[in-house]
Amino acid sequence: MATNPPQIAILGAGIFVRTQYIPRLSEISDLFLLKAIWSRSEESARGAVELARKFFPGVDCKWGAEGFDEIAQDDSITAVAVVLAGQTQVDTSLRMLKAGKHVLQEKPAAASSSELETALSAYNSISANFPSRPIWSVAENYRFEPAFLECKNLIADIGNMMSVQVIVEGSMNSSNPYFSSSWRRNFTGGFILDMGVHFIAGLRMLVGCEVVSVSAMTSHVDLTLPPPDNISSVFQLENGCSGVFVMVVSSKSPKIIWRVVGLNGTLQVERGNHEGRHGYQVSFYGIDGQSKSSFFPFSGVTDELKAFINDVSQATLKNGSHYEADSRISFVEGARDVAVLEAMLESGARQGSLVQVKKF
Ligand SMILES: *[C@@H]1O[C@H](CO)[C@@H](O)[C@H](O)[C@H]1NC(C)=O
Ligand SMILES: *[C@@H]1O[C@H](CO)[C@@H](O)[C@H](O)[C@H]1NC(C)=O
Ligand SMILES: *[C@@H]1O[C@H](CO)[C@@H](O)[C@H](O)[C@H]1NC(C)=O
Ligand SMILES: *[C@@H]1O[C@H](CO)[C@@H](O)[C@H](O)[C@H]1NC(C)=O
Ligand SMILES: CC(=O)N[C@H]1CO[C@H](CO)[C@@H](O)[C@@H]1O
């Protein structure tokens, strides 16, 4: 039985909507219908709509409180993407879930554990009003990156895990479009929390278990960035292995690497460039010095959007009976990434005291 493609709206019209959502969605425009783009201000909504009309000629422009309510009340719109300032995303997502929409919210899932807890309990009570709960997904894309999926196949071959290193030297300087983003400058945890969830998602996916406790030192060196801009953490995994997580928000020599050392081998993922494409180099170093290495271009954002649209279509087909959405984009996965960073930041604020990571 053929079904109509789901109709969706984007709430937000900022840099990420213009440079990622619109172009990536245009690549999969056969899977859904973009019905509207909303922003708080008319000007910003119009700017994004103008870009989107090239690919989605019928897209409506909505703004302000009135435009928001029109989207919430439009039953033909089954899902929304929430791509707003970190401080307002949870509240906006909950309002749309309450209106019965499926939601794909940008990371971070929330700003703190207390907001995560409030969000999850509000979600549970909203769900009680519907025959099947609306889907609440968080877009972090790393759980869809082909490089990390490949690692899931390779990790067993390293044998017993002995040590993990995650080294992130970012390049968040004034050339970066997000550098001046005002909400990020007024966000607890600064860029460490906003960007760090990706690297923690990568870590958790690579090792295949949770981070139990952390100890960290933080500092604020680059005063052009919100604090903290440096974190050095030691962490303990559920499987008994320990590791280090180092993140510098702005470095002159960017480098992003995950490395897991086992009794029988080492697995490494490194951000890089290959034939003009950005992505990750995955290397496996085995017994007797043999090694193999492959490059995986980025495709996580597109693959994640596809998974969400597929979830929405499947849930619609089920018409009210229970549908299990892709767990990789579940709100709770995003919550777990925030909880690890929050524990590190808390430890940093307490000069390295051991902090247990909240379980979600
Ligand atoms: C590790 O290597 C040893 C010796 O080659 C082998 O017996 C063992 O099965 C390997 N373990 C794993 C988990 O591959
Ligand atoms: C910012 O970092 C990028 C990447 O390292 C570099 O190419 C660029 O020159 C830097 N810009 C400034 C203003 O330092
Ligand atoms: C910063 O955030 C706080 C609370 O999250 C808010 O009250 C304040 O108005 C914000 N300041 C700016 C300049 O956005
Ligand atoms: C979907 O379910 C509702 C009530 O739960 C019912 O009224 C409607 O006919 C169903 N639609 C389809 C296409 O099965
Ligand atoms: C106080 C502190 O540890 N600052 C460090 C922040 O990160 C940069 C880059 O690694 C170091 O040079 C600083 O010493």
Side-chain angles (χ1 to χ4, degrees), residues 9-84:
I10 301 175
L11 308 183
I15 310 165
F16 202 63
V17 167
R18 293 170 195 226
T19 62
Q20 287 292 325
Y21 270 77
I22 293 173
R24 297 292 81 77
L25 285 172
S26 76
E27 292 163 9
I28 52 171
S29 59
D30 53 324
L31 302 178
F32 69 99
L33 209 109
L34 183 61
K35 187 89 189 290
I37 297 180
W38 174 91
S39 179
R40 240 176 2 174
S41 82
E42 176 179 359
E43 187 190 359
S44 152
R46 288 213 180 280
V49 163
E50 198 174 308
L51 286 175
R53 285 230 166 105
K54 257 193 284 178
F55 315 104
F56 307 98
V59 63
D60 287 334
C61 184
K62 301 276 181 192
W63 64 90
E66 199 177 316
F68 189 93
D69 291 342
E70 282 165 13
I71 290 177
Q73 285 153 20
D74 184 341
D75 287 336
S76 72
I77 297 176
T78 48
V80 296
V82 174
V83 195
L84 296 167

Side-chain angles (χ1 to χ4, degrees), residues 3 28 74 85 91 97-98 106-107 111 141 146-147 168 239 254 285 297 300 333 336 343:
T3 50
I28 52 171
D74 184 341
D91 193 47
L97 289 162
K98 218 173 270 178
E106 258 310 308
K107 57 86 206 172
N141 68 61
V168 179
N239 66 8
Y285 306 90
E333 283 293 329
R336 288 171 184 151

Side-chain angles (χ1 to χ4, degrees), residues 87 181-188 226:
Q87 291 88 339
S181 148
S182 58
W183 72 261
R184 289 181 175 81
R185 299 193 156 262
N186 189 25
F187 193 61
T188 317

Side-chain angles (χ1 to χ4, degrees), residues 1 131 317-320:
M1 188 181 77
L317 273 178
K318 290 266 191 161
N319 189 25

Side-chain angles (χ1 to χ4, degrees), residues 19-269:
T19 62
Q20 287 292 325
Y21 270 77
I22 293 173
R24 297 292 81 77
L25 285 172
S26 76
E27 292 163 9
I28 52 171
S29 59
D30 53 324
L31 302 178
F32 69 99
L33 209 109
L34 183 61
K35 187 89 189 290
I37 297 180
W38 174 91
S39 179
R40 240 176 2 174
S41 82
E42 176 179 359
E43 187 190 359
S44 152
R46 288 213 180 280
V49 163
E50 198 174 308
L51 286 175
R53 285 230 166 105
K54 257 193 284 178
F55 315 104
F56 307 98
V59 63
D60 287 334
C61 184
K62 301 276 181 192
W63 64 90
E66 199 177 316
F68 189 93
D69 291 342
E70 282 165 13
I71 290 177
Q73 285 153 20
D74 184 341
D75 287 336
S76 72
I77 297 176
T78 48
V80 296
V82 174
V83 195
L84 296 167
Q87 291 88 339
T88 62
Q89 292 200 122
V90 166
D91 193 47
T92 307
S93 296
L94 286 170
R95 287 175 64 193
M96 283 295 166
L97 289 162
K98 218 173 270 178
K101 313 285 185 218
H102 302 297
V103 170
L104 176 67
Q105 180 203 302
E106 258 310 308
K107 57 86 206 172
S112 65
S113 294
S114 63
E115 193 184 21
L116 291 170
E117 278 160 9
T118 318
L120 282 166
S121 84
Y123 181 38
N124 287 334
S125 56
I126 289 169
S127 304
N129 298 333
F130 293 96
S132 71
R133 55 159 54 191
I135 299 164
W136 191 0
S137 297
V138 170
E140 269 183 35
N141 68 61
Y142 271 51
R143 280 181 272 276
F144 290 82
E145 283 302 343
F148 286 91
L149 295 172
E150 170 68 3
C151 287
K152 285 186 95 158
N153 302 326
L154 295 173
I155 194 77
D157 295 342
I158 70 167
N160 284 343
M161 225 177 260
M162 298 194 288
S163 164
V164 185
Q165 298 164 54
V166 184
I167 310 293
V168 179
E169 292 179 41
S171 54
M172 184 49 69
N173 58 39
S174 56
S175 311
N176 189 298
Y178 300 103
F179 180 81
S180 316
S181 148
S182 58
W183 72 261
R184 289 181 175 81
R185 299 193 156 262
N186 189 25
F187 193 61
T188 317
F191 284 106
I192 300 264
L193 181 58
D194 177 46
M195 303 182 346
V197 287
H198 288 306
F199 310 120
I200 298 296
L203 164 67
R204 292 179 49 240
M205 194 163 169
L206 205 52
V207 298
C209 67
E210 297 302 331
V211 179
V212 178
S213 60
V214 304
S215 167
M217 294 289 186
T218 52
S219 64
H220 191 200
V221 180
D222 185 341
L223 300 180
T224 67
L225 293 165
D229 65 328
N230 279 281
I231 190 162
S232 302
S233 178
V234 176
F235 59 79
Q236 172 90 45
L237 297 174
E238 230 169 16
N239 66 8
C241 182
S242 65
V244 294
F245 175 84
V246 173
M247 183 169 168
V248 177
V249 173
S250 181
S251 136
K252 295 283 180 263
S253 51
K255 182 178 186 71
I256 303 181
I257 189 167
W258 292 255
R259 198 170 156 93
V260 188
V261 184
L263 208 49
N264 283 7
T266 296
L267 182 60
Q268 175 177 301
V269 186

